[in-house]
Amino acid sequence: MLRQRIGTDAAAGAEFWRAEDTVLRRPVGVTLLRRLPADDRSDDPEGTARAGEMIVRALRSGCFEHPGSARLLDVLAPGTHGLPADVLGASVAEWVPGRSLAETVAEGPVRAQRAAKAVEALASAATEAHQQGLVLGCDHPQRVRITPDGRAMLAFLLPRPSVSAADDVRGLGGLLYCLLTRRWPLSVADSARAGLVAADRTPAGRLRSPAQLRPGVPLELDTLCMGALGQAGDGLGRVHTAAAMHRMLTDVVAEDADQAFFPPVHDGAPADPDDVWQDSDRLPDTRNDPQRRRNLRIGLTVLAVGVLIVLGYLSVQVGALFGGSGAPPVVIPPAATAPAAPQGTAPQGAAPAAAVVPVGDVSVQVFDPTGDGDNAGTVDRVLDGDPATTWTTSRYFQPFPALKPGIGVMASFDAPQPVSRLTIDSASPGTVVEVRSAPSAEASLDETTPITTVTLRDGETVVPLDAARPTGHVLLWITTLSSGNQSAIGEIAFARAAG
């Protein structure tokens, strides 16, 4: 079952999807080959021959396994039961967890040594594939994903028929260039589809080297990157094979391990939390961190209560020591509190609060009419009961609506509910959310009806709703992001009036 489209390779007529294996209940990565619009001027009007050659290539590589590439699970040829008429074939591979290349560099360039280590894994896979007469097709930015432990892996298979081993070498150079500079140096169209910035070029059409864009990039990585991309000045530094690139990356990574006790050269990227060397001018500024402020308030409150308890105890001991009446001492509590009202009653003069009950059987999905869905795989975290686990939007280069009008979470109930209250727990103050009712989970934004607009504060934000209008779907439409052009939601909860 297809869940989320990750990207497209227009030159191959391919679409990349995150899907679910409904039999084994596991995520998989699917590459679909779409039928091309009919073109009478082409020898292959609908791309049938192209797709057939790509399927044959995939069948030949069925036994290839390497930690740098997703494992092929199945190949679906044209006419396979269940394939739509406009699909000429598909490959099913293990899902590669982690982030896309665009998400990886969204917050800034990657540390030079980490970039080398990431590409080393994929270069090793390309080397072994080329030795077996195969190619990976890693020259497209959306075919590669970065795993949580920092390795680059080929996630989506079925390379174009024209792809050669030399294209894989260029793809490895392009990946290293992008991690170092946040720019994609190969196809401009591919960079736009992947949400990346195209690489800068000189008036003569040559690429600007990583060291020119980012002072501090080691000379060996700068030379290796330009050599793999065929941009070596005199041609003598050209890198022709994946094996050569893998060998040089391995040397760079090993040299970095040998020099772990020496301060690294400042290369423009901030130090990571687990780095041995943390320069004071590169330490993160946590003064305005909402979680830090919350922890500080809790700590000060606990400290104040402890001090009052100690003072109260000391006053009792001093009274017992110097008091002559023998009467038991009277201990004054730290703070006077009103006697608690019996359960089920309200304090005198206060209006009883309306009783509410939580709405159960809620499901959520990312609502993104103009994109592929920000972090759709983690949106269920807003219902897991733990505000510390969050769903976050992508980090955008510009605030809304420069790139898109907004992003949202669509909540659906098993039946229409007279929802009277919405609670949003978030550590992204300043986020503006339009609460809208929707006729269905697949409705367009124009088909939804605005209910109210709220600006989130740090922690819980309670939003009263009109319970007189039962609805089966509620859209939380984010129109303004928090600082840094990114927002996070830890938990949402709905309630309706009891009875």
Side-chain angles (χ1 to χ4, degrees):
M1 180 182 296
L2 301 181
R3 293 293 189 188
Q4 179 189 4
R5 191 173 75 174
I6 303 299
T8 58
D9 184 350
E15 294 180 357
F16 310 134
W17 288 82
R18 183 179 187 274
E20 181 182 356
D21 183 340
T22 56
V23 177
L24 299 180
R25 295 293 181 184
R26 60 178 176 179
V28 292
V30 175
T31 305
L32 294 182
L33 300 180
R34 293 287 186 184
R35 188 184 301 275
L36 299 178
D39 184 0
D40 296 336
R41 298 170 297 178
S42 172
D43 295 335
D44 187 18
E46 296 183 338
T48 306
R50 166 195 55 82
E53 187 173 347
M54 294 168 70
I55 293 296
V56 170
R57 271 194 171 191
L59 292 172
R60 285 180 53 208
S61 64
C63 60
F64 177 75
E65 292 190 19
H66 191 280
S69 174
R71 185 165 63 94
L72 182 65
L73 301 177
D74 198 3
V75 178
L76 306 179
T80 301
H81 175 71
L83 280 184
D86 65 332
V87 175
L88 299 175
S91 70
V92 182
E94 291 179 326
W95 173 249
V96 177
R99 299 189 292 178
S100 68
L101 186 57
E103 291 171 333
T104 301
V105 301
E107 298 179 3
V110 178
R111 293 284 299 276
Q113 300 299 337
R114 290 183 182 270
K117 188 173 182 180
V119 182
E120 180 193 17
L122 188 56
S124 175
T127 299
E128 188 168 326
H130 295 172
Q131 290 172 349
Q132 299 181 24
L134 307 172
V135 293
L136 296 184
C138 56
D139 59 339
H140 189 283
Q142 290 179 308
R143 288 184 180 270
V144 177
R145 290 179 64 80
I146 309 299
T147 64
D149 61 353
R151 293 179 297 114
M153 284 187 64
L154 181 71
F156 297 100
L157 313 180
L158 296 181
R160 303 184 306 278
S162 59
V163 170
S164 64
D167 292 314
D168 277 345
V169 176
R170 292 175 63 246
L172 293 171
L175 176 61
L176 180 59
Y177 189 99
C178 186
L179 291 174
L180 292 173
T181 67
R182 302 175 68 188
R183 291 166 171 81
W184 182 250
L186 301 179
S187 168
V188 175
D190 289 344
S191 65
R193 293 189 186 94
L196 295 168
V197 178
D200 299 329
R201 293 181 179 270
T202 65
R206 290 183 53 80
L207 283 172
R208 300 186 187 277
S209 71
Q212 288 178 310
L213 299 174
R214 180 182 168 193
V217 171
L219 175 62
E220 57 271 26
L221 286 184
D222 185 73
T223 304
L224 175 60
C225 193
M226 298 301 284
L229 290 169
Q231 296 287 313
D234 54 5
L236 297 178
R238 178 74 180 269
V239 180
H240 295 277
T241 66
M245 188 161 190
H246 177 242
R247 183 169 58 253
M248 286 184 275
L249 287 170
T250 301
D251 292 343
V252 171
V253 173
E255 183 180 358
D256 177 60
D258 293 339
Q259 297 180 352
F261 292 103
F262 296 91
V265 176
H266 187 16
D267 59 1
D272 292 318
D274 57 346
D275 282 346
V276 173
W277 295 94
Q278 296 284 335
D279 294 340
S280 60
D281 61 339
R282 285 187 279 169
L283 290 175
D285 184 3
T286 59
R287 289 174 297 178
N288 294 320
D289 182 9
Q291 184 64 39
R292 183 174 180 270
R293 293 202 308 270
R294 185 185 304 174
N295 293 340
L296 183 61
R297 287 198 300 268
I298 294 174
L300 291 175
T301 301
V302 172
L303 178 62
V305 172
V307 170
L308 290 174
I309 292 176
V310 171
L311 292 176
Y313 174 78
L314 291 177
S315 66
V316 171
Q317 298 304 316
V318 171
L321 181 63
F322 295 101
S325 63
V330 178
V331 180
I332 302 177
T337 57
Q343 187 174 2
T345 65
Q348 184 176 1
V356 295
V357 294
V359 175
D361 294 326
V362 182
S363 61
V364 290
Q365 64 186 42
V366 175
F367 183 86
D368 190 3
T370 60
D372 294 330
D374 294 7
N375 300 316
T378 60
V379 69
D380 290 340
R381 293 178 180 176
V382 303
L383 296 176
D384 63 1
D386 183 4
T389 59
T390 63
W391 167 79
T392 60
T393 69
S394 297
R395 186 180 296 277
Y396 292 88
F397 294 112
Q398 300 181 50
F400 295 154
L403 299 176
K404 61 169 63 175
I407 185 74
V409 174
M410 178 71 78
S412 301
F413 314 123
D414 59 343
Q417 299 284 345
V419 180
S420 60
R421 188 177 70 191
L422 163 64
T423 303
I424 305 174
D425 195 306
S426 170
S428 300
T431 301
V432 178
V433 178
E434 290 183 3
V435 183
R436 294 168 167 261
S437 63
S440 69
E442 292 75 27
S444 66
L445 184 63
D446 292 338
E447 294 174 323
T448 62
T449 303
I451 299 176
T452 187
T453 300
V454 62
T455 300
L456 301 186
R457 56 174 177 261
D458 185 20
E460 285 192 352
T461 302
V462 179
V463 187
L465 301 178
D466 183 4
R469 296 187 291 175
T471 181
H473 309 273
V474 174
L475 171 62
L476 279 62
W477 180 243
I478 299 174
T479 58
T480 301
L481 297 168
S482 187
S483 60
N485 292 330
Q486 185 178 39
S487 292
I489 295 179
E491 201 72 20
I492 62 173
F494 296 91
R496 58 180 177 82

